[in-house]
Amino acid sequence: DPAGVTLSPALPGKWRWISDKVLQFQPTSDWPAESEFTVTLKSDATAKEVVLKQTEWTFTTPKLDVSLPSVAFYTDPQDPTVHQIVAEVKTNYPVELAELEKRVKLDVLGGTPVFAWKGQTPASIFNITEGKHQQQFWIRSTRIAIPDKEDFVKVTVQAGLPTLNGGKPLLA
């Protein structure tokens, strides 16, 4: 690592000059969510003839973002009497499946008992399958009953979801 370069708070990684004007830091793990860092260059970090306009830079990493790029009403092509809600969840930081399961909520906006198939409501009304890099997940509801009157299911991920990298959890 170049002498005279510090990152605060410290994060394991490697500094390297990629040109005579660009110093790059490559962390050994992902950055924590919504965390502030300060990079400081001391005079011995550059050649004597180099004059810097500033010797300290502060930046904040992006906050944890959770999106639902697709939420759909699903009908099983093999058995058209089976209907479910299917939703894709994407995050910009890796999260643990068990933590996501604690914070996913499916609400029926009109109060129709769509999750009570033949009058029986299961203990859990959905399951979640992990996709790529602990940043993509699929929510699949249990079999739903089609109501007589139109109703809607709202899928939400509640606040408090932590990332595997640390930093601030998902805010409301």
Side-chain angles (χ1 to χ4, degrees):
D1 286 356
V5 181
T6 58
L7 176 67
S8 179
L11 190 66
K14 194 107 176 120
W15 289 98
R16 69 181 189 123
W17 287 101
I18 57 173
S19 75
D20 62 341
K21 296 179 182 175
V22 178
L23 177 62
Q24 180 185 57
F25 179 71
Q26 184 65 48
T28 54
S29 61
D30 290 332
W31 295 91
E34 201 173 354
S35 298
E36 187 174 282
F37 290 89
T38 301
V39 176
T40 305
L41 280 177
K42 294 183 182 164
S43 58
D44 59 346
T46 59
K48 291 177 188 166
E49 60 273 4
V50 174
V51 178
L52 298 171
K53 290 181 183 176
Q54 66 186 86
T55 58
E56 191 172 282
W57 297 266
T58 299
F59 64 94
T60 302
T61 57
K63 69 179 183 146
L64 173 59
D65 182 52
V66 176
S67 64
L68 296 164
S70 65
V71 178
F73 174 82
Y74 170 79
T75 300
D76 186 330
Q78 303 299 318
D79 182 354
T81 66
V82 175
H83 306 289
Q84 296 171 302
I85 307 298
V86 177
E88 179 184 16
V89 178
K90 285 191 173 185
T91 65
N92 59 336
Y93 289 94
V95 299
E96 194 174 314
L97 175 62
E99 291 292 338
L100 181 62
E101 287 172 330
K102 292 179 198 174
R103 291 170 179 85
V104 166
K105 194 171 180 192
L106 283 97
D107 290 311
V108 182
L109 299 182
T112 308
V114 297
F115 297 112
W117 175 250
K118 294 191 175 182
Q120 301 289 318
T121 302
S124 177
I125 60 169
F126 65 87
N127 65 45
I128 303 178
T129 305
E130 189 175 313
K132 296 179 185 175
H133 312 295
Q134 295 178 295
Q135 291 181 269
Q136 179 188 39
F137 302 86
W138 295 95
I139 301 167
R140 183 176 294 274
S141 76
T142 58
R143 186 175 189 166
I144 61 172
I146 303 298
D148 294 332
K149 200 170 78 169
E150 183 177 69
D151 206 341
F152 298 91
V153 174
K154 180 179 178 183
V155 180
T156 55
V157 178
Q158 298 175 315
L161 178 65
T163 73
L164 290 174
N165 308 349
K168 292 186 181 175
L170 181 66
L171 301 174

